[in-house]
């Protein structure tokens, strides 16, 4: 094990447990500086230039303060593609990858509008646009800063996505029974913030995370009232039945799906006839 790797681990020792610190150290060196795990194991780490050494020090300072690695690097991996991220957008999560895979599996023949409601980094919209060749993919977000990041990602991957500065909460009745909506809206109640990692609460955008305790399902009410034929969304694991019920009230049939960790985190709703 090289001295460099030990040095990096020591500098970010407070980032998490031993396993997480090791994983972050490996990823930082590989993605930030091209130093692979094999280079580390065989003690064949390249000589850093003065500029690289300064950049490493800056990264380590940010990580030591608890900033998520993805923000430090400026990018995050989503279904084998790297997406630019900033503090204006959420870091893509594994459960969102599962949501994308569900949509791709079921909507391969879709040739109408497909809207990503609350696109953030655009990882969902871009992935779906590249996988569903016949779909007309749109990405909506209320945040102009998030839309700028998403547009850059669509350009990077040459994905045919149309972007709209659009508020989901003010969009009732705008879609048709031929349209599909996919969404990972804000759904974490303020009371749940204490259960979350400090680096998430401190660094990720609250606009994309939190909803009031007394109006926790506001975005799902909005999704149910858009008028789309089919809706796929991530949901709060503590409120699956409540979320299902509001779609049923709007005339949808529903099914819930668990994620890889067995938590009920996704819902599909579709019109009955």
């Amino acid at each position: 094990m090289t001295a460099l790797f030990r040095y990096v681990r020591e500098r970010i020792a407070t980032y998490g447990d031993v396993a997480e610190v090791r994983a972050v150290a490996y990823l930082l060196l590989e993605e930030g500086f091209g130093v692979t795990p094999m280079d580390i194991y065989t003690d064949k780490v390249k000589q850093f230039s003065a500029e690289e050494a300064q950049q490493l020090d800056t990264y380590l300072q940010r990580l030591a303060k608890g900033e998520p690695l993805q923000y430090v690097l400026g990018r995050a991996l989503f279904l084998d593609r790297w997406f630019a991220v900033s503090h204006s957008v959420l870091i893509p999560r594994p459960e969102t990858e599962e949501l994308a895979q569900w949509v791709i599996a079921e909507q391969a023949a879709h040739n109408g509008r497909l809207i990503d409601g609350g696109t953030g980094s655009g990882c969902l919209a871009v992935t779906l646009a590249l996988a569903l060749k016949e779909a007309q993919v749109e990405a909506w977000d209320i945040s102009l800063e998030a839309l700028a990041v998403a547009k850059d990602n669509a350009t990077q991957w040459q994905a045919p996505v149309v972007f709209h500065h659009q508020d989901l909460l003010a969009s009732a009745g705008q879609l048709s029974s031929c349209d599909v909506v996919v969404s990972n809206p804000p759904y974490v109640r303020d009371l749940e913030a204490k259960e979350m990692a400090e680096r998430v609460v401190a660094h990720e955008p609250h606009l994309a995370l939190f909803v009031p305790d007394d109006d926790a399902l506001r975005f799902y009410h909005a999704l149910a009232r858009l008028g789309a034929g089919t809706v796929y969304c991530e949901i709060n694991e503590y409120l699956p039945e409540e979320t299902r019920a509001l779609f049923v009230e709007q005339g949808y049939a529903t099914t819930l799906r668990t994620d890889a960790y067995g938590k009920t985190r996704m819902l599909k709703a579709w019109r009955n006839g």
Side-chain angles (χ1 to χ4, degrees):
M1 201 66 65
T2 67
L4 173 65
F5 188 68
R6 288 193 295 271
Y7 169 74
V8 169
R9 283 191 303 167
E10 290 168 2
R11 287 282 303 271
I12 63 171
T14 59
Y15 190 88
D17 60 27
V18 173
E20 186 175 17
V21 168
R22 284 174 60 87
V24 168
Y26 279 128
L27 193 57
L28 174 67
L29 289 172
E30 183 165 19
E31 297 302 332
F33 302 96
V35 177
T36 69
M38 184 59 67
D39 294 331
I40 293 168
Y41 282 122
T42 59
D43 201 14
K44 293 182 178 178
V45 175
K46 67 178 183 177
Q47 183 68 37
F48 275 33
S49 67
E51 183 179 352
E52 287 175 320
Q54 181 58 52
Q55 185 66 72
L56 176 61
D57 184 65
T58 299
Y59 286 167
L60 293 175
Q61 288 183 46
R62 293 171 65 182
L63 289 168
K65 293 177 181 178
E67 187 173 353
L69 175 64
Q70 293 89 339
Y71 289 145
V72 172
L73 292 174
R75 60 188 184 275
L77 195 61
F78 185 83
L79 289 177
D80 299 324
R81 292 187 180 97
W82 286 98
F83 286 83
V85 294
S86 75
H87 288 276
S88 299
V89 302
L90 293 180
I91 296 167
R93 302 298 203 276
E95 54 268 24
T96 309
E97 293 182 323
E98 294 183 57
L99 181 67
Q101 290 169 325
W102 190 9
V103 177
I104 291 167
E106 293 196 346
Q107 297 295 329
H110 183 63
N111 60 2
R113 293 173 75 192
L114 188 152
I115 293 90
D116 174 15
T119 195
S121 67
C123 61
L124 263 176
V126 169
T127 298
L128 295 174
L130 294 174
L132 307 176
K133 302 296 186 183
E134 302 301 319
Q136 301 150 34
V137 178
E138 300 176 21
W140 296 2
D141 209 291
I142 194 172
S143 166
L144 290 172
E145 293 81 4
L147 283 173
V149 174
K151 289 176 181 178
D152 285 345
N153 281 319
T155 299
Q156 174 193 349
W157 290 109
Q158 299 182 337
V161 179
V162 177
F163 293 91
H164 295 285
H165 183 216
Q166 185 83 16
D167 182 359
L168 270 178
L169 297 177
S171 303
Q174 294 194 17
L175 303 184
S176 77
S177 60
C178 298
D179 298 325
V180 174
V181 172
V182 182
S183 185
N184 176 22
Y187 58 72
V188 180
R189 291 172 292 181
D190 291 331
L191 63 87
E192 294 163 17
K194 62 181 179 295
E195 303 174 13
M196 301 174 70
E198 174 60 25
R199 75 173 63 99
V200 174
V201 177
H203 296 281
E204 299 203 45
H206 286 202
L207 179 67
L209 279 172
F210 293 109
V211 287
D213 296 340
D214 60 358
D215 194 13
L217 300 178
R218 55 167 55 177
F219 284 96
Y220 299 98
H221 283 289
L223 289 168
R225 292 169 180 162
L226 281 175
T230 306
V231 179
Y232 297 86
C233 52
E234 284 189 45
I235 63 174
N236 187 316
E237 65 182 280
Y238 300 116
L239 301 170
E241 293 303 329
E242 293 87 341
T243 309
R244 181 208 291 268
L246 69 86
F247 278 97
V248 171
E249 289 173 4
Q250 293 295 320
Y252 286 92
T254 62
T255 186
L256 297 168
R257 178 173 285 203
T258 57
D259 64 14
Y261 300 99
K263 297 179 179 179
T264 305
R265 297 297 307 279
M266 292 164 278
L267 176 144
K268 175 188 175 184
W270 66 97
R271 292 291 184 186
N272 276 320

